[in-house]
Every structure is written in structure tokens, then in C-alpha cells.
Amino acid sequence: KEITMKKRINLMLTLILICFGMSVNGQENTKGVVFEKEGTLFNDAVKKAKATNKLLFMDCYTSWRGPCKMMANTVFPQEKVGNFMNPKFVCLKVDMEKGEGPELGKKLQVNAYPTFIIFNAEGQELGRFLGGCQAEDFIKKVTENSTDNGSAEMDKRFANGERSEEFLYAYLETLGSAYKKDQCNTVAEALLDGKAETFAQDKKLADVLMKHINNPFCPAFVYTAKHPEQLSATIGEMPVKMKLQSVWRNYSHSLINNANGQVSLDQTQMDKWLTLMEECNVKEKEELRLNTLIAYNEKKGDWNEYMKLCKEYADNPALDVNDLILCKWCTPIVEKCKEEAPRKAAVAMLQQRLDELNSGKRQPQTKMGNMTLAGNLKGAMEKLISVLNNPQ
């Protein structure tokens, strides 16, 4: 009887677990947004959308962004969101830093995370929106961006050579609302073509350069870099100064490519960029050169070259390395580098700064621009040294 009772108990437990498992699986199938399995390629998702007569919804995310995590943990699992999305969309999540993510992000001009893009069954973009939001707002934005806004047709007209001013301004407005920065730049250059020396007198064209040009090789930008006073008379000196700095700095991101996990630097284009900055007398040229190479070697994981460049930057009397930048430089060495030489180089750099602070040769950093820093950077440097000297 005792054996029979144990068998019954085991059978009951098994049945309970099976029923519970069925219940849980049922909830997974009916609650929340159902995404394609991880690693599904964009083209395969398009094929499925076409075969099932649905639209394609794509979540362009990164693993480290807070709003991306919020959407994944609190919005997508909600039943009302799943009930809205699942019948109408094939849903795809793409990590923009893995697999085909970097290449896809460049092709689709994704510059912020999360970016949500809706495509028709042919893989043509219908609309997009950015940033985390609550469930009701998310459903509203998906609805608004699921209707063709005409951008695909405008893309064709532009590709076929249409360049009327009326069309270009309308196209630019459509692209701007879709956050397609690279294509905005291309259209803006078309509007400014042949007007490099005169556009600044036209407030509308001046606004085009200020809002949409991100290519430092654009003739109107080059002319402005050499003759900033003309655009300053229309826009103001400080906005023009900030625009010039922004374009020079941000261009460096396009020089570092990451396709299928292979990091590369477009050295030819970088040399042209450095030459152009020399022609335009850009004071930050050396700082931008070193920052680009430091970022490249960090992504590549060449820690010896990385620390060599950090030291070159720190030893340059014309450049200032504040406490926050120093901590930022050394953090990836702590997290990712196992080699002894780069870790020792990081310790030496940090210890030199601590010695300067303790002797009064240098004052502790308390501000970053107009912001007051709340953290204890000196303590952070001491902690970094401790971890670097005692790796787990």
C-alpha cells in the first residue's frame, strides 16, 4: 500500500507539473508580443510576413540601453500589447551590436536605441519611431506608423533624379520625421548644391545646413568652416560654432566599421578627414585623431595599442585629460583585458594622477561642463588600481 501510495503521489505531482507547464506555455503563447527566435535574419522575417500577409515590426535594440530593457521587461510582455501586435505583425528583435545588426543599422540609418521600424510585406519601410514608452502610447505610435507615409515613393523619385526645390523640401521633412539622418544629409546637400558661397544669406537654406548636414566634405560646410562669419550673421556665432564642432566630432563614428564581428578602420577616409581639418584650421584635430584611434582599438580589443594611444593623448601638453576621462579609459582594461602589460600601463597612468592630486599639483575634478559631479573620482581611481593589481 505504501508503494502504491507513493506511485499515486508521484503520478499526481507529474500531472500537476504537466498541467502547470501547459498553463505556463499557454500563457506564453497568448500573453505579450511573440518575437521570432533570436538570430532570425531580416530577410527571413520579411518572407514570413509576406507568406502570412502581415506587416513586419522590428525592434532595433542594444543590451545595455535602459529604455530597451524597459520595453522588453515591462511593455512587450503585456497581454494587451500582445493582443494588438501578434495578429497583425511578424515581430523581430535585432541586437544592433551583434550578428547582422551593425550592417543592418547602417543600411536602415538607425542612430538611436531603441528604434522601432514597421515594414510592409515587401520589406519597404512604412514608418518608425524612437524611444521607450508606455503600452498605450506604444500601440498608438505603432498604429500611426503602420500606414505608408509616401517615403518609399519619394525615395524612388529622388533616386530617379527629381530635384525640384519644392520636392526636396517636402522629402526632407518626411525623412526628418523618420530620423533618417544620412538620407537627410544627402537631400540637404542637393538643396545646397552650387550655393556654398551664397546659402548663408537665405534663412531657409541656412536652417537646412544647421539641421541636416553631417558630412564635413559638403562644399557648403567646408565654406562655412573657412568663413564662419557669414552663417553667423544669419544664425548666430555660438550655434554655428557648436554645429561645426558637432560635425567634425561625429564624423569619426562613420570611420569605424563593425560587420559580422570584424572591426575595421577606413584609414583612407580618415586621412582625407584629417587633411580637411588641417585646411580648415580645426584646433581639435589632434584630439579627434587620437579619440578615433582609441575608440577603434577599444572595439578591436588591441589593448597594448589602446594604452599606447591613451598615453600619447595624456602626454600631449596641448590636450587635457580630466579625471573622468582617465577613469573611462581604464574601465575597459579592468573589464576586458587579461594581458599584464596594458594593465600595468593603466595602473601607472592612474597612480601618476593620484600623486598629482595628493601633492596639490592638480586639483580634483568636480565638474563636467556645467554639471557638478556627485561621485568621488579619486576614490574611483584607487578602486581601479586595486582591481587592476588584484585580478580575479
Side-chain angles (χ1 to χ4, degrees):
K1 290 183 178 178
E2 183 178 353
I3 294 174
T4 304
M5 182 62 71
K6 285 183 178 179
K7 287 183 177 179
R8 287 180 178 175
I9 291 172
N10 288 336
L11 179 60
M12 288 174 64
L13 288 171
T14 302
L15 289 170
I16 289 171
L17 288 171
I18 290 173
C19 291
F20 179 75
M22 289 173 63
S23 173
V24 170
N25 289 337
Q27 288 180 357
E28 287 178 350
N29 289 333
T30 60
K31 289 187 177 181
V33 179
V34 177
F35 285 96
E36 297 299 296
K37 67 179 181 180
E38 185 178 352
T40 297
L41 298 177
F42 174 75
N43 286 339
D44 291 335
V46 171
K47 290 176 183 177
K48 183 172 180 179
K50 189 171 185 178
T52 56
N53 196 29
K54 292 183 178 182
L55 300 178
L56 171 61
F57 168 82
M58 186 165 74
D59 171 17
C60 304
Y61 76 99
T62 63
S63 60
W64 49 270
R65 280 283 291 161
C68 297
K69 294 179 182 179
M70 185 276 288
M71 294 299 293
N73 295 332
T74 66
V75 176
F76 294 147
Q78 293 186 36
E79 184 173 6
K80 62 184 173 183
V81 179
N83 288 343
F84 172 76
M85 295 293 293
N86 296 332
K88 301 171 184 158
F89 298 91
V90 169
C91 298
L92 179 68
K93 290 177 71 71
V94 179
D95 188 331
M96 303 312 287
E97 297 179 325
K98 294 180 180 178
E100 70 169 344
E103 187 176 350
L104 202 56
K106 186 171 288 188
K107 177 182 177 182
L108 296 173
Q109 301 178 46
V110 175
N111 301 292
Y113 314 108
T115 291
F116 306 110
I117 310 179
I118 295 145
F119 304 86
N120 63 20
E122 301 297 326
Q124 297 170 326
E125 182 175 331
L126 298 179
R128 67 171 67 187
F129 59 99
L130 278 62
C133 54
Q134 296 305 311
E136 294 79 6
D137 196 23
F138 173 77
I139 291 172
K140 179 182 177 183
K141 288 181 178 181
V142 170
T143 302
E144 291 172 347
N145 287 278
S146 296
T147 303
D148 193 347
N149 61 12
S151 61
E153 181 61 31
M154 285 184 155
D155 290 341
K156 290 180 183 177
R157 289 168 63 186
F158 185 79
N160 289 334
E162 183 165 348
R163 294 295 185 271
S164 71
E165 192 171 278
E166 181 181 4
F167 165 71
L168 291 176
Y169 275 115
Y171 187 28
L172 196 57
E173 183 176 354
T174 299
L175 291 168
S177 64
Y179 308 98
K180 292 186 176 181
K181 293 182 179 180
D182 292 341
Q183 188 66 2
C184 279
N185 177 88
T186 300
V187 177
E189 287 198 43
L191 275 166
L192 293 165
D193 185 37
K195 304 168 186 172
E197 299 183 15
T198 60
F199 84 95
Q201 301 164 26
D202 184 326
K203 180 63 167 60
K204 195 174 181 180
L205 283 174
D207 285 340
V208 166
L209 181 136
M210 293 294 292
K211 291 179 181 178
H212 300 296
I213 291 297
N214 55 43
N215 173 25
F217 296 94
C218 169
F221 178 85
V222 173
Y223 187 83
T224 299
K226 294 178 178 179
H227 308 280
E229 66 282 352
Q230 293 192 18
L231 186 58
S232 296
T234 303
I235 300 294
E237 183 177 352
M238 186 53 66
V240 171
K241 182 179 179 180
M242 292 176 65
K243 176 64 178 180
L244 292 171
Q245 289 178 343
S246 173
V247 173
W248 291 124
R249 288 183 180 279
N250 290 332
Y251 186 72
S252 65
H253 302 312
S254 68
L255 300 172
I256 303 173
N257 301 304
N258 185 354
N260 299 318
Q262 298 297 315
V263 181
S264 62
L265 178 70
D266 189 338
Q267 188 64 56
T268 300
Q269 200 60 28
M270 182 169 178
D271 291 342
K272 291 179 180 179
W273 174 56
L274 294 173
T275 299
L276 181 62
M277 284 195 286
E278 185 75 28
E279 291 176 5
C280 295
N281 195 30
V282 178
K283 295 179 181 178
E284 298 87 359
K285 175 196 166 189
E286 185 62 11
E287 175 194 350
L288 294 175
R289 181 187 74 85
L290 287 169
N291 276 334
T292 303
L293 293 174
I294 288 170
Y296 166 59
N297 282 281
E298 179 183 354
K299 288 181 181 293
K300 194 170 66 165
D302 187 341
W303 301 114
N304 284 299
E305 185 66 17
Y306 173 83
M307 286 308 305
K308 178 184 174 183
L309 289 160
C310 290
K311 189 174 187 311
E312 182 181 347
Y313 189 121
D315 290 345
N316 190 324
L319 304 176
D320 179 57
V321 180
N322 60 40
D323 298 346
L324 187 61
I325 290 176
L326 193 57
C327 289
K328 182 182 176 183
W329 279 351
C330 295
T331 298
I333 298 293
V334 169
E335 295 175 342
K336 303 174 185 178
C337 177
K338 304 298 182 183
E339 301 168 65
E340 185 177 358
R343 294 176 75 90
K344 283 185 176 181
V347 169
M349 190 176 290
L350 289 164
Q351 188 60 57
Q352 180 180 346
R353 177 57 54 88
L354 285 175
D355 292 343
E356 292 173 350
L357 291 171
N358 291 331
S359 68
K361 184 178 179 180
R362 188 180 182 100
Q363 295 302 309
Q365 182 188 0
T366 58
K367 288 190 174 184
M368 187 69 173
N370 295 324
M371 297 185 298
T372 300
L373 299 175
N376 178 5
L377 291 174
K378 184 178 177 182
M381 285 185 269
E382 292 171 345
K383 180 66 175 176
L384 285 168
I385 289 175
S386 175
V387 176
L388 286 165
N389 282 331
N390 300 283
Q392 296 297 322

